[in-house]
Amino acid sequence: MSKKTKKNAVTALYSRLSRDDEIIGDSNSIVNQKKMLEKYAEDNGYTNIQHFSDDGISGGTFDRPSWKQMIEGVESGIVTTIITRDLSRIGRDYLQVGFYTEVMFREKGVRFIAIANNVDNSKRESAEFAPFLNIMNEWYIRDTSRKVTSVLRARGSDGKHHTTNHAIYGYKKCKDNPSQWLIDEPAASVVKRMFQMCIDGKGPYQIAKVLTEEKVERPSYYLAQRGMGNHISNYKAEEPYLWRGTTVAHMLSKPEYMGHTVNFRTYKDSYKDKQPKKTDKEDWIIFKDTQEPIVDEATWETVQKLKKTKRRSDTIGEANPLTGLMYCADCGAKMYNHRGSAGYERNWCGEKTDKKRPNRDEYNCSTYDLARQDYRFVPCTQHYIRTEAIKNILLETIQEVSRCVQLDEDKFINEIINKTSSQQEKSVNSLKQQITKDNRRVIDLNKLIRQLYEDNVIGKLSDKRFNLMIEDYEEEQKQLEQSIEQSETMLKQLDEESFNTTKFIELIKKYTDLSELTTPMINEFVDKILVHEGKWENYQRTQEIEIYLNFVGKIEITKKEIELTETEILEQQELQKKRDKKREYNYRYMRKRRERLKEEQTKIKADEESKGA
């Protein structure tokens, strides 16, 4: 150490007080610590003293301003002596405290003194007990952390308090009762609009773009400007209106907006953890109706369902609102939407004309589509249907249901209750029978596999044959297990499914104009649509469509047959004859054309063979 350094050497008097220490009493206050340290320094001849104090900071962390400043002095050689009241003032992490007192201070030639513990690293015998004191100090904070966690767990489990320190965007804390959240009207109106935009067919990133363009203050900025939220000190003031899709998606998934309290979203394995970990949703504790809701439960549930399906817009327009609602009635897979330009029509000679065909917009079974891409065979078929046809059927269904509700509301309610109960019972029985059947087959397969192993061991079955049979049986077993899991999931959904005719009637009354099918109507009314494979009969294609509406389940519209006059009946019959005649003509024409093409190909092949000979 240079003479200059020794002359300017500083005696650091370090004091620290955490919030927990304040409870113990005045003896631990920063002022009393400083007085004690000054007296000790004066009595023992230490000069050029300098105080370093961290007030209100836990000993579990070493990210303290004054501590870091003092350590910089140690590393630069300015601080040569450190005096503190006791070892716990340095910290309560025995590994970190041990590093500083046993390693760093010794390497830098710094004398360390803990007055109350009689620790002086210049006296070897006095420092031998220090590691045990450090362990006891850490045990203290560990025990305190355990007690605080128990208190917070009990507090968060009674349903009267929020475990989060800040109200989420859209709410604010009540001044008289901080545990109670009140609606923050300016922010709540933005939240309501976000949910409505999602129902209108916009995704999180589209919503974020709209809010950014309209210069709506983003949540962190809005809350920080009002002294609220988790980002009061680290929000980006230069980006007040920059909304992000991830922020919108996260907000749309919060049950709190239904008026619920959600506790224990995060946890820490240890008090040493700097960043909390996310708790699985199954482990959240939710208390319903603890504050005024911003959105109703039906709206929130609709948005959660919409978020599960990604809707991508293409070159010919916006994303199809039916995507995610269409399912194959045979295999249960989602149906894929195909849209694009269909090109120009061709004449009977196959030549392109100037007449443009309508753009493609149809749905196919995804199982069938994916199998075709991989050149695989699957038992399912195309299930082709045009989007326009589905929309017409859907609008007609909603209009007819609305008409039934308006004519006789009580009758409609009774019919729905009786019908849905019967449908649910049939579905439950069918699923239970399927599960029983699959389980029996799994048991049989286990017996067969066991027998195969025994036959292979004793030599009755060759290894090649054994491997082939085992592979087939295991594949079948895998498919059965998937079928059982799917059936059990559907059974659970049916048990939890509730039919609420009151909410459905409120939804019907919400829409005064049902003349046109809109995206919000689709999202709020439709639960799912099952599409069956089309069938050809008497030159006509028919296709069964099952429509399930929210709150009431499957809807079947029974139309009254219109009584035609004799003249109208004759006209219909004459029209049908013309159609049949045209179809018959087209059928004969195409058959002759195929035969002619076949003859031409046969002749060409024969000529090639004769030339080759």
Side-chain angles (χ1 to χ4, degrees):
M1 188 179 295
S2 66
K3 292 181 179 180
K4 183 179 179 181
T5 304
K6 289 183 178 179
K7 184 179 180 181
N8 297 328
V10 170
T11 298
L13 307 183
Y14 183 75
S15 51
R16 181 189 62 80
L17 182 70
S18 68
R19 293 183 179 88
D20 294 332
D21 294 323
E22 293 174 357
I23 302 172
I24 298 175
D26 291 338
S27 60
N28 279 335
S29 70
I30 291 291
V31 174
N32 288 335
Q33 285 185 51
K34 286 182 176 180
K35 288 180 180 179
M36 179 183 181
L37 296 176
E38 286 175 359
K39 187 174 186 307
Y40 182 88
E42 183 182 349
D43 292 345
N44 290 273
Y46 291 102
T47 58
N48 197 19
I49 64 174
Q50 183 175 339
H51 283 283
F52 295 88
S53 303
D54 288 308
D55 196 359
I57 302 178
S58 169
T61 177
F62 282 83
D63 187 16
R64 314 174 215 142
S66 293
W67 171 264
K68 289 162 74 173
Q69 184 183 357
M70 185 180 72
I71 294 301
E72 287 177 3
V74 170
E75 291 177 337
S76 63
I78 295 175
V79 174
T80 58
T81 304
I82 296 176
I83 305 174
T84 188
R85 190 181 70 84
D86 56 50
L87 285 168
S88 68
R89 298 306 92 197
I90 296 297
R92 294 188 183 275
D93 184 329
Y94 80 95
L95 291 176
Q96 289 273 50
V97 173
F99 165 74
Y100 285 114
T101 59
E102 300 294 330
V103 180
M104 184 180 186
F105 292 166
R106 289 184 184 277
E107 289 179 352
K108 298 294 183 180
V110 175
R111 186 175 183 181
F112 173 71
I113 299 172
I115 302 171
N117 301 131
N118 293 319
V119 172
D120 185 341
N121 65 358
S122 66
K123 300 175 182 179
R124 186 172 182 179
E125 66 280 0
S126 72
E128 291 179 348
F129 196 62
F132 297 99
L133 292 173
N134 289 333
I135 291 174
M136 293 301 293
N137 288 332
E138 177 163 341
W139 178 86
Y140 169 81
I141 195 171
R142 191 186 298 269
D143 184 59
T144 302
S145 174
R146 190 182 302 112
K147 290 176 180 176
V148 170
T149 301
S150 299
V151 171
L152 290 176
R153 172 63 61 174
R155 182 181 174 88
S157 300
D158 64 5
K160 299 178 181 178
H161 305 278
H162 295 270
T163 52
T164 177
N165 292 324
H166 302 283
I168 63 172
Y169 180 81
Y171 286 101
K172 59 184 177 181
K173 286 187 175 183
C174 176
K175 293 181 180 179
D176 298 329
N177 180 13
S179 296
Q180 181 66 35
W181 287 3
L182 303 176
I183 286 183
D184 183 15
E185 290 298 341
S189 64
V190 176
V191 173
K192 289 178 183 177
R193 189 178 171 209
M194 287 165 55
F195 275 85
Q196 188 57 50
M197 280 195 285
C198 185
I199 290 176
D200 291 344
K202 286 184 171 59
Y205 287 90
Q206 292 172 305
I207 295 172
K209 183 180 179 182
V210 171
L211 296 176
T212 300
E213 290 174 348
E214 294 183 2
K215 296 189 180 302
V216 177
E217 291 181 355
R218 60 193 177 92
S220 58
Y221 181 88
Y222 176 89
L223 293 173
Q225 291 294 309
R226 291 154 182 79
M228 302 185 292
N230 295 317
H231 304 281
I232 297 176
S233 59
N234 63 347
Y235 72 98
K236 294 183 179 180
E238 67 277 7
E239 297 178 351
Y241 312 116
L242 183 60
W243 285 75
R244 301 190 186 279
T246 51
T247 302
V248 174
H250 184 60
M251 291 174 64
L252 291 175
S253 65
K254 286 183 175 290
E256 288 92 333
Y257 290 126
M258 290 187 288
H260 304 338
T261 293
V262 181
N263 285 338
F264 308 113
R265 283 180 174 270
T266 60
Y267 72 97
K268 289 184 178 180
D269 288 324
S270 169
Y271 68 90
K272 294 182 180 181
D273 292 344
K274 302 301 180 185
Q275 295 295 331
K277 300 176 182 178
K278 291 183 179 180
T279 307
D280 293 336
K281 288 186 178 181
E282 295 76 17
D283 297 327
W284 291 356
I285 296 182
I286 300 178
F287 300 95
K288 295 187 175 182
D289 304 324
T290 55
Q291 66 248 359
E292 187 178 351
I294 293 177
V295 296
D296 58 82
E297 186 175 353
T299 299
W300 191 86
E301 292 290 351
T302 300
V303 168
Q304 306 319 301
K305 186 171 68 172
L306 292 172
K307 283 176 60 189
K308 291 179 182 178
T309 302
K310 292 182 179 179
R311 293 170 174 80
R312 297 180 176 88
S313 57
D314 53 28
T315 56
I316 66 170
E318 295 182 353
N320 196 323
L322 291 172
T323 299
L325 301 174
M326 306 274 290
Y327 293 87
C328 174
D330 293 323
C331 71
K334 285 186 177 181
M335 300 192 73
Y336 284 171
N337 183 220
H338 299 278
R339 297 198 297 181
S341 178
Y344 291 88
E345 291 186 0
R346 295 180 180 272
N347 58 21
W348 66 276
C349 294
E351 298 170 342
K352 189 167 69 171
T353 65
D354 295 333
K355 189 175 181 181
K356 195 171 183 349
R357 295 170 61 190
N359 289 333
R360 290 178 60 209
D361 191 353
E362 69 254 4
Y363 279 89
N364 293 336
C365 171
S366 61
T367 302
Y368 174 83
D369 275 359
L370 294 173
R372 285 189 64 194
Q373 294 174 17
D374 299 335
Y375 303 101
R376 291 183 292 109
F377 171 77
V378 290
C380 203
T381 52
Q382 188 176 15
H383 291 71
Y384 166 89
I385 190 167
R386 291 182 301 112
T387 298
E388 184 182 359
I390 282 289
K391 286 186 174 181
N392 290 337
I393 295 170
L394 195 53
L395 178 59
E396 189 178 349
T397 300
I398 295 173
Q399 288 173 338
E400 187 63 24
V401 170
S402 177
R403 189 185 65 81
C404 292
V405 170
Q406 292 172 359
L407 288 177
D408 194 336
E409 188 174 307
D410 293 334
K411 182 182 177 182
F412 174 80
I413 291 173
N414 292 330
E415 287 180 354
I416 289 295
I417 291 173
N418 294 333
K419 182 192 66 177
T420 51
S421 299
S422 175
Q423 287 176 353
Q424 194 173 30
E425 186 177 355
K426 288 179 181 178
S427 300
V428 168
N429 292 335
S430 176
L431 287 170
K432 286 181 177 179
Q433 289 175 5
Q434 186 64 43
I435 291 171
T436 303
K437 180 182 176 182
D438 290 344
N439 279 323
R440 285 175 182 170
R441 181 57 181 165
V442 169
I443 294 171
D444 292 341
L445 286 173
N446 286 331
K447 291 179 181 178
L448 289 170
I449 291 171
R450 193 181 301 114
Q451 186 64 46
L452 284 177
Y453 275 105
E454 293 176 359
D455 291 346
N456 180 252
V457 170
I458 64 177
K460 284 186 178 182
L461 194 66
S462 67
D463 290 343
K464 183 178 180 181
R465 189 66 177 167
F466 168 78
N467 290 330
L468 287 173
M469 296 180 71
I470 279 292
E471 187 178 345
D472 291 340
Y473 283 151
E474 287 181 343
E475 180 62 28
E476 183 183 356
Q477 199 171 41
K478 182 181 178 181
Q479 292 177 358
L480 285 169
E481 288 172 353
Q482 290 176 350
S483 175
I484 292 169
E485 184 180 356
Q486 185 178 3
S487 297
E488 287 177 343
T489 302
M490 293 175 66
L491 192 62
K492 184 179 179 181
Q493 289 175 351
L494 284 171
D495 289 338
E496 295 174 350
E497 194 173 33
S498 60
F499 297 96
N500 194 325
T501 53
T502 304
K503 286 187 177 180
F504 182 75
I505 289 171
E506 289 176 359
L507 184 59
I508 286 286
K509 293 179 178 178
K510 174 182 175 181
Y511 287 91
T512 55
D513 182 13
L514 296 174
S515 60
E516 182 182 358
L517 188 68
T518 62
T519 298
M521 281 172 60
I522 293 173
N523 291 335
E524 292 194 276
F525 274 102
V526 183
D527 178 28
K528 61 183 176 182
I529 301 170
L530 302 186
V531 180
H532 292 258
E533 183 56 276
K535 297 179 181 178
W536 285 93
E537 188 175 353
N538 295 329
Y539 309 109
Q540 289 186 341
R541 186 177 186 270
T542 59
Q543 193 168 15
E544 182 184 355
I545 307 297
E546 297 181 47
I547 294 177
Y548 291 78
L549 300 183
N550 290 321
F551 309 119
V552 293
K554 183 179 178 181
I555 292 295
E556 294 177 353
I557 301 300
T558 305
K559 293 184 178 180
K560 293 183 179 179
E561 291 189 6
I562 301 173
E563 295 184 3
L564 302 176
T565 62
E566 290 185 7
T567 305
E568 288 174 335
I569 292 173
L570 291 173
E571 288 177 353
Q572 290 286 341
Q573 291 175 349
E574 189 64 29
L575 181 61
Q576 187 63 39
K577 286 179 182 179
K578 289 181 179 179
R579 287 174 177 169
D580 293 343
K581 187 176 179 180
K582 185 177 181 180
R583 291 192 185 100
E584 181 64 25
Y585 169 79
N586 290 336
Y587 174 76
R588 289 198 307 270
Y589 168 79
M590 292 305 297
R591 184 179 62 186
K592 289 179 180 179
R593 186 178 179 186
R594 285 193 294 268
E595 290 174 353
R596 187 169 61 251
L597 288 171
K598 188 175 181 181
E599 289 174 359
E600 290 175 357
Q601 290 173 356
T602 304
K603 185 179 178 181
I604 292 171
K605 188 176 180 182
D607 292 342
E608 289 176 351
E609 289 176 353
S610 63
K611 288 179 181 178

